[in-house]
Amino acid sequence: MVNYCKAVHFHDFEHSRNSYKFYEMSSFGESKADKLVEEQTTEFNNHNRIFLSRIYPGGLRTDSSNYNPVPMWNAGCQIVALNYQTGDEEMNINLGRFSDNGGSGFVLKPEYMRSSAKFHPDGPFQDDMTRKLKIKIISGAMLPKANKDKEIIDPYVKIKVNGASADTREFKTNFVEDNGLNPMWNEEFTFSVGMPDLAIVRFCVYDHDQMSGDEFIGQYTLPFNSMQQGYRHVALYSKDNDSLFPSVLLVHVELI
């Protein structure tokens, strides 16, 4: 069976409600989509309850860089196109988001985004939805060199939750001097997450370098709801999202 969508020009949300058919889809450049997310978030999500929206990178991105897809997902946009040829943070967030549901490329939006015409990703949040995430960054193992000319790295870990504006927060460990083989941190951080369904957790390892600037080592990103409690190994990937096996982090996860 083949499904067809008809491309139509977007005028405004009232015109869409009155004129669009359910199989019609509008495309938005990232600048237009950003403006709608910023100024008419609830209306945009309500539009996306009924119709499909496709977002695409701006024409000025001649370097094939990417925009942040998270605000577009939070507004209910279904097709958020990125420059797949570029391995950057935004692409890793995208791959992490769609690692859910078996990596099929489809993730069902939360029920409240599909049913409520008044949903807004900045809240108010229901108390029974809020979760606390406690992560202890314990240690690393077999971390690669960011720069082959450097003999030993001074690694540290950044952990960030991307999601609703109120949930977006970042912490980082202290750096461990001259140890990429088995650095120990034993540092614990706590996140309060009002909308777990929209949250994405990202681990990044960097090499501290006061002279030339910190250098990227590895990363791993996954949906908040895919977090498993207890002691866990976090496998690291390169900027191009290639496996850095056997490089891992050892963490302890507690969900409250």
Side-chain angles (χ1 to χ4, degrees):
M1 184 175 72
V2 178
N3 295 320
Y4 291 93
C5 292
K6 179 182 177 182
V8 293
H9 178 71
F10 176 80
H11 297 277
D12 55 55
F13 293 124
E14 183 178 1
H15 178 269
S16 301
R17 285 194 302 272
N18 295 333
S19 305
Y20 279 15
K21 305 295 189 299
F22 69 90
Y23 53 81
E24 295 179 324
M25 175 183 72
S26 293
S27 294
F28 303 85
E30 63 173 287
S31 297
K32 175 67 173 178
D34 275 334
K35 186 175 181 181
L36 292 174
V37 168
E38 183 71 24
E39 299 177 359
Q40 297 177 275
T41 308
T42 299
E43 292 88 343
F44 201 9
N45 181 74
N46 194 31
H47 171 89
N48 290 326
R49 290 171 53 235
I50 307 168
F51 309 109
L52 290 174
S53 291
R54 171 183 171 267
I55 317 300
Y56 58 89
L60 294 179
R61 292 187 181 273
T62 55
D63 58 351
S64 294
S65 59
N66 285 306
Y67 58 91
N68 182 6
V70 175
M72 311 303 175
W73 295 331
N74 292 351
C77 300
Q78 299 90 346
I79 305 172
V80 182
L82 297 177
N83 289 310
Y84 264 67
Q85 67 270 32
T86 304
D88 53 16
E89 178 178 346
E90 292 76 17
M91 178 53 64
N92 185 253
I93 290 173
N94 181 76
L95 294 175
R97 181 75 180 101
F98 290 97
S99 65
D100 200 1
N101 194 24
S104 63
F106 170 79
V107 176
L108 184 65
K109 289 191 288 188
E111 189 276 335
Y112 50 79
M113 291 184 71
R114 291 180 279 123
S115 62
S116 174
K118 298 181 179 180
F119 168 78
H120 195 292
D122 290 338
F125 305 141
Q126 299 177 21
D127 291 339
D128 59 350
M129 290 172 55
T130 300
R131 305 288 303 276
K132 284 193 180 296
L133 169 64
K134 288 186 177 181
I135 296 185
K136 186 174 185 179
I137 308 295
I138 301 171
S139 64
M142 306 293 289
L143 302 180
K145 298 177 183 178
N147 185 341
K148 293 182 179 179
D149 295 331
K150 187 173 182 179
E151 292 186 2
I152 306 176
I153 64 173
D154 304 326
Y156 67 90
V157 181
K158 279 186 181 180
I159 178 170
K160 182 177 182 180
V161 169
N162 296 275
S165 298
D167 294 339
T168 300
R169 196 174 181 187
E170 180 180 87
F171 294 103
K172 72 174 183 177
T173 68
N174 295 306
F175 69 88
V176 176
E177 190 172 357
D178 293 341
N179 190 345
L181 179 64
N182 57 351
M184 299 284 294
W185 292 285
N186 285 315
E187 297 184 42
E188 185 173 277
F189 309 102
T190 300
F191 297 86
S192 180
V193 181
M195 287 195 171
D197 294 320
L198 305 183
I200 303 163
V201 183
R202 176 172 162 81
F203 298 86
C204 272
V205 183
Y206 292 88
D207 177 19
H208 173 75
D209 192 323
Q210 192 170 1
M211 298 298 293
S212 60
D214 298 349
E215 294 184 281
F216 174 90
I217 293 176
Q219 62 188 350
Y220 186 77
T221 305
L222 75 165
F224 180 95
N225 287 339
S226 294
M227 298 285 289
Q228 298 293 309
Q229 298 199 73
Y231 291 96
R232 300 287 166 179
H233 274 135
V234 177
L236 295 178
Y237 288 78
S238 70
K239 270 189 175 180
D240 294 324
N241 297 296
D242 295 322
S243 173
L244 294 177
F245 179 83
S247 302
V248 295
L249 300 175
L250 176 62
V251 304
H252 183 268
V253 177
E254 183 180 359
L255 296 170
I256 304 171

